[in-house]
Amino acid sequence: MIDYKKALELKQEGKPLKEIMEELNIDVKYKTFQRALYEYEKTGHERNIRVKNNIEFLDRKEEPQECDLQEYYEGLKQLERSMNKLDRKQTKAEITINDDKPIGIAFWGDWHLGSRGLDYGQFDKDRETIKDTDGLYFIGMGDYKDNNSAYVTKSSNENSISQSMQDLLVCKMMEEVKEKVIALIRGCHDDWDKKLGDKDFTEELCRITDSINLWHGGKVTINLGDETYKIFARHKYKNESSLNTTNAQRNMLNDSGAVDVAALGHKHFPDMQMLDRMGQKVIYIRSGSYKKYDEFGQKLAGYEGKKSVPLVVIFPNEHKVVPFQELEDGITYLKAVRK
C-alpha cells in the first residue's frame, strides 16, 4: 500500500518523486505513481494500485474481508425487520367481537366483478343485505375482480371492462361494506396482479376496509362473550377432488388442527358438510360465485356457477355453530336468535 500522506509531505518538502519512491519502497512505474500522487493531492482520493506480473491495476477493488460480509449480513437483517413493519400480511389472527347476542359470519367471495356472464343483480341484493343486517360480518374469500388477462391464462379474455376500472369498482363496493369486514383473502385472480406487477391489490382493499390481510388464507380466532371460535379460511387448498368435494377441507384440518369451520371458495359451486373430527363438531363450507357462465366452465363440461354466500351463526354463552348454505336462510335465523 502506498503511504500517500507521507509521499505528499516529502514532495512538498521538495524531494524528487524517484527518491520518494525509493524511500517509501513504492514498487510501481514512475508514471503510475506520478498520476496517483497528483490525483491524491487534488482530490484526496487514494488509488488502490496492485501489480501482477507486468500489469498495474490502478483502481481494482480489494477482496472483501470477513468484517465486510458481517456488515452486509447485519444490513440484511435490518432490511428484513424494516420490510416486516411494512408488510401487513398474516396467516393467523385473533379478534374479539363485543356483542352479547349471537352473530353471523358469512363467507363471501368469487365476485368476479368486471366479467361477462355475471349476475350483478344478485350481487347487489347480497351486498345490500350484508350491509344492512345487524350482527352480521364476513370474511372475503378472494377473486373480487375477474382480472382476466391473456398474459396469465390461455382462456379467452372475458372482461367487460378494463382491469383498472375493475379495481375502482371493487374498491367502491368494499367501501360500502367496510364495517362488516373481518378479513380478506387473496384469490387466484387477485394474485395475477402479484404475478405480473408485484401488486397486492388485497392489501389496498384491507386499507379501505381497515381489516385483516389474511394473505392466501389462514386461521382466524374469534372471541365472542365467553366462547372462542376458530375458523380456517382459504380461497383454495391442495388435494381437491371431484368425487369427494370436501376433501380439501379435510386436508386443511389435517394440516391446521381442530377448527370449528373450514371454509373455501374458488370452485364456483356451494358445498357444506357437518361432521365430528378431532373431538368436536366441524363445518366444511364452500362458497359459490356470481359468475354464472364463462368459456372455461362451458368448455370443460357445461358447468354453471352457482351463487351462494354461506354463513355460520355463533353464540356468546355456549359453544354452538349453526351453518347455513344460503345467506337468506341464515339471516332469517340470525334475526330470530338476536331478538
Side-chain angles (χ1 to χ4, degrees):
M1 293 290 293
I2 297 175
D3 187 345
Y4 284 97
K5 183 177 180 181
K6 181 65 176 176
L8 184 60
E9 289 175 355
L10 294 173
K11 178 186 176 184
Q12 291 172 345
E13 291 174 2
K15 185 168 286 193
L17 290 186
K18 286 187 176 181
E19 293 183 17
I20 294 173
M21 293 176 68
E22 290 177 3
E23 182 176 336
L24 299 181
N25 296 316
I26 298 173
D27 187 22
V28 299
K29 297 294 184 182
Y30 177 85
K31 289 287 186 181
T32 299
F33 174 65
Q34 185 183 46
R35 289 196 302 270
L37 186 59
Y38 177 80
E39 181 178 345
Y40 176 75
E41 186 176 8
K42 297 299 182 182
T43 67
H45 173 69
E46 295 185 6
R47 279 188 176 271
N48 181 25
I49 302 172
R50 289 290 183 271
V51 179
K52 183 179 74 172
N53 199 4
N54 291 323
I55 305 172
E56 291 183 350
F57 299 98
L58 304 188
D59 53 6
R60 189 188 71 184
K61 288 187 175 182
E62 294 205 40
E63 288 290 325
Q65 304 299 310
E66 180 68 25
C67 60
D68 298 325
L69 183 59
Q70 183 63 36
E71 181 183 356
Y72 175 82
Y73 180 59
E74 295 301 325
L76 179 62
K77 291 195 292 185
Q78 180 57 51
L79 175 63
E80 184 67 16
R81 288 191 292 269
S82 299
M83 292 178 69
N84 285 338
K85 290 180 180 179
L86 297 173
D87 190 350
R88 294 182 62 237
K89 299 187 296 294
Q90 57 192 99
T91 57
K92 293 181 181 178
E94 183 174 2
I95 67 169
T96 295
I97 296 181
N98 297 308
D99 202 327
D100 58 359
K101 298 177 181 179
I103 65 166
I105 307 293
F107 300 89
W108 191 24
D110 287 282
W111 297 359
H112 288 277
L113 295 185
S115 172
R116 294 275 292 130
L118 203 78
D119 190 345
Y120 287 98
Q122 186 64 52
F123 173 77
D124 289 342
K125 180 181 177 181
D126 289 348
R127 187 180 77 255
E128 291 301 318
T129 299
I130 290 171
K131 182 174 66 173
D132 296 338
T133 300
D134 184 48
L136 178 64
Y137 306 89
F138 77 87
I139 294 174
M141 301 300 292
D143 283 3
Y144 312 104
K145 57 180 178 177
D146 198 59
N147 207 25
N148 203 306
S149 168
Y151 291 107
V152 293
T153 175
K154 295 180 181 179
S155 62
S156 62
N157 191 330
E158 297 178 296
N159 292 336
S160 54
I161 58 175
S162 68
Q163 282 93 335
S164 61
M165 292 306 297
Q166 290 179 35
D167 286 3
L168 293 175
L169 190 58
V170 173
C171 288
K172 177 183 184 300
M173 299 307 172
M174 284 292 184
E175 176 72 30
E176 290 186 15
V177 295
K178 64 181 180 180
E179 299 303 323
K180 300 291 187 173
V181 186
I182 292 173
L184 296 176
I185 294 168
R186 187 196 303 170
C188 49
H189 284 237
D190 310 312
D191 196 52
W192 291 341
D193 285 343
K194 189 70 175 176
K195 180 178 181 179
L196 292 176
D198 195 29
K199 171 187 173 183
D200 186 356
F201 180 59
T202 307
E203 173 57 25
E204 183 178 347
L205 299 179
C206 288
R207 290 195 184 99
I208 291 172
T209 58
D210 192 23
S211 61
I212 297 164
N213 185 341
L214 207 57
W215 205 356
H216 294 285
K219 187 179 292 185
V220 179
T221 300
I222 299 176
N223 301 309
L224 177 66
D226 299 327
E227 298 297 327
T228 296
Y229 298 89
K230 294 185 182 297
I231 296 171
F232 191 13
R234 288 182 60 94
H235 179 69
K236 62 179 181 177
Y237 204 66
K238 61 184 181 179
N239 303 122
E240 294 279 9
S241 170
S242 58
L243 298 177
N244 177 2
T245 57
T246 56
N247 191 56
Q249 288 94 326
R250 181 179 66 82
N251 278 282
M252 288 169 69
L253 258 71
N254 292 342
D255 295 340
S256 71
V259 295
D260 297 286
V261 180
L264 291 171
H266 181 59
K267 288 292 190 178
H268 293 197
F269 66 83
D271 204 358
M272 180 175 289
Q273 184 180 1
M274 180 186 293
L275 67 163
D276 290 299
R277 279 206 66 193
M278 300 182 179
Q280 68 174 74
K281 293 286 185 185
V282 182
I283 311 297
Y284 292 165
I285 278 177
R286 188 184 294 275
S287 56
S289 174
Y290 300 102
K291 190 173 182 179
K292 295 182 66 175
Y293 300 104
D294 63 8
E295 286 285 341
F296 178 77
Q298 288 298 306
K299 186 187 303 182
L300 187 64
Y303 290 140
E304 176 183 343
K306 298 184 183 301
K307 75 96 180 174
S308 175
V309 184
L311 67 87
V312 295
V313 177
I314 58 178
F315 290 74
N317 299 317
E318 59 175 323
H319 199 86
K320 182 178 180 181
V321 183
V322 182
F324 295 89
Q325 184 66 74
E326 297 302 329
L327 182 65
E328 297 83 357
D329 297 335
I331 287 177
T332 299
Y333 178 80
L334 178 63
K335 289 180 177 178
V337 295
R338 283 181 64 84
K339 286 183 179 179

